[in-house]
């Protein structure tokens, strides 16, 4: 994977809430990981609620919405060594993902794309879905249409979950923006209503929602080298088969069964909320092979 050094990094697509001078970091998919509040089970429940339009239930929101300060980020990302900075690279990943959906969503799914921002935070953050800490992992909040990530998550992804490849990072972000696309299409709300009507199938519906976001991430990856900044400069100069293998390895590492095994918990498919390793690999591959988000219907038939 090579990023174009001449591509402009549009920092208006992110919001930096890490405090003055906060640099570096990384983000990912809402993943149940050890060490967070409430343990694995609590995190799974919190993430599920957030994805279908509710609140986290970790803490009630206190005070008003936090405000980001992008001044330091803008300065770093305008420097010659910008692509050496983790936050600047991730901002450019966000630029690519949103550039893809601006064209792909109306062409493939008949809905106009509405851009949103990714919030970089450190340790904890207030959201319209409630207050969350870093233990929840990266997530999308349908209530405010924002993606949230503590960039230190990438270290967790590499050291604790074994997903060390660089392309794990844009894959994680592309998954979260897949949830934003679902929100624009009304899929999140449809799933929430169906879960209320049929609580016995709530986990299955959550898995299908997650696998569709994986498929959307694969569709972006197939088309990422065609994305450009506002001046027409390509964002990626190359994406290799090794990069795609790294995304697939990440999908495998964050399957519900893999995470249960790492936590020395019994593997119970009825408790899955994100899908097995095999399912996540399969649906990312479906999106990548077809390059078409219209092929990502995880709600019809078996998954």
């Amino acid at each position: 994977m090579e990023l174009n050094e001449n591509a402009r990094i549009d920092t208006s697509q992110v919001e930096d809430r890490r405090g003055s001078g906060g640099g570096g970091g990384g983000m990912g998919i809402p993943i149940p990981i050890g060490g967070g509040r409430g343990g694995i089970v609590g995190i799974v429940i919190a993430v599920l609620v957030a994805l279908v339009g509710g609140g986290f239930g970790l803490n009630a929101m206190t005070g008003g919405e936090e405000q980001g300060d992008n001044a330091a980020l803008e300065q770093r990302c305008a420097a010659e060594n910008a692509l050496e900075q983790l936050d600047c690279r991730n901002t450019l990943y966000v630029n690519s993902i949103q550039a893809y959906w601006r064209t792909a969503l109306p062409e493939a799914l008949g809905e106009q794309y509405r851009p949103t921002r990714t919030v970089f935070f450190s340790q904890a953050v207030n959201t319209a879905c409630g207050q969350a800490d870093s233990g929840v992992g990266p997530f999308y909040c349908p209530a405010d249409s924002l993606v949230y990530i503590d960039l230190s998550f990438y270290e967790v992804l590499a050291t604790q979950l074994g997903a060390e490849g660089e392309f794990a990072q844009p894959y994680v972000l592309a998954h979260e923006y897949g949830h934003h696309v679902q929100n624009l299409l009304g899929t999140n709300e449809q799933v929430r209503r169906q879960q209320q009507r049929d609580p016995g199938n709530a986990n299955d519906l959550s898995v299908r929602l997650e696998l569709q976001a994986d498929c959307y991430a694969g569709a972006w990856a197939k088309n990422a080298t065609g994305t450009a900044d506002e001046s027409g400069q390509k964002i990626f100069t190359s994406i290799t088969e090794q990069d795609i293998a790294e995304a697939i390895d990440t999908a495998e590492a964050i399957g519900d069964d893999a995470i249960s095994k790492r936590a020395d918990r019994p593997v119970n498919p009825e408790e899955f909320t994100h899908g097995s390793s095999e399912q996540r690999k399969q649906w990312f591959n479906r999106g990548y092979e077809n390059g078409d988000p219209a092929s990502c219907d995880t709600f019809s038939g078996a998954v």
Side-chain angles (χ1 to χ4, degrees), residues 29 51 100-101 105 109 171 174-191 204-220 273-275 279-288 292-300 303:
I29 306 168
L51 288 176
Y100 166 69
W101 282 113
L105 190 58
L109 299 172
Y171 158 64
H175 174 101
E176 297 307 334
Y177 274 88
H179 288 310
H180 179 55
V181 169
Q182 290 170 329
N183 207 32
L184 296 176
L185 292 170
T187 311
N188 282 336
E189 179 61 21
Q190 292 170 14
V191 166
D204 176 69
L205 289 164
S206 175
V207 166
R208 291 173 186 270
L209 197 71
E210 293 295 333
L211 295 179
Q212 186 175 64
D214 280 333
C215 186
Y216 286 162
W220 163 79
T273 59
H274 285 65
Q279 287 174 316
R280 301 200 73 160
K281 290 191 298 181
Q282 172 193 336
W283 282 97
F284 175 86
N285 269 325
R286 171 79 66 90
Y288 180 72
D292 181 3
S295 69
C296 295
D297 181 7
T298 57
F299 293 92
S300 299
V303 292

Side-chain angles (χ1 to χ4, degrees), residues 48-184:
L48 172 60
V49 171
L51 288 176
V52 298
F56 277 97
L58 297 176
N59 291 300
M61 281 193 66
T62 56
E65 181 180 348
E66 299 173 20
Q67 298 296 318
D69 182 359
N70 281 20
L73 179 66
E74 290 172 4
Q75 184 175 7
R76 280 194 302 279
C77 296
E80 289 186 4
N81 66 342
L83 293 184
E84 298 176 11
Q85 307 299 320
L86 185 55
D87 48 8
C88 295
R89 291 200 308 275
N90 275 262
T91 301
L92 199 53
Y93 299 151
V94 169
N95 296 166
S96 172
I97 294 163
Q98 298 212 94
Y100 166 69
W101 282 113
R102 283 191 191 95
T103 300
L105 190 58
E107 288 185 354
L109 299 172
E111 183 75 25
Q112 291 301 309
Y113 183 69
R114 296 195 296 276
T116 192
R117 298 186 306 281
T118 290
V119 176
F120 296 157
F121 74 95
S122 178
Q123 299 183 334
V125 65
N126 282 333
T127 83
C129 294
Q131 188 180 68
D133 61 30
S134 299
V136 175
F139 60 93
Y140 174 76
C141 173
D144 58 22
S145 300
L146 296 175
V147 172
Y148 291 87
I149 179 173
D150 183 332
L151 294 173
S152 65
F153 178 78
Y154 287 137
E155 184 177 352
V156 174
L157 196 60
T159 61
Q160 295 186 27
L161 299 179
E164 299 179 355
E166 177 75 15
F167 204 74
Q169 297 176 21
Y171 158 64
V172 160
L173 289 170
H175 174 101
E176 297 307 334
Y177 274 88
H179 288 310
H180 179 55
V181 169
Q182 290 170 329
N183 207 32
L184 296 176

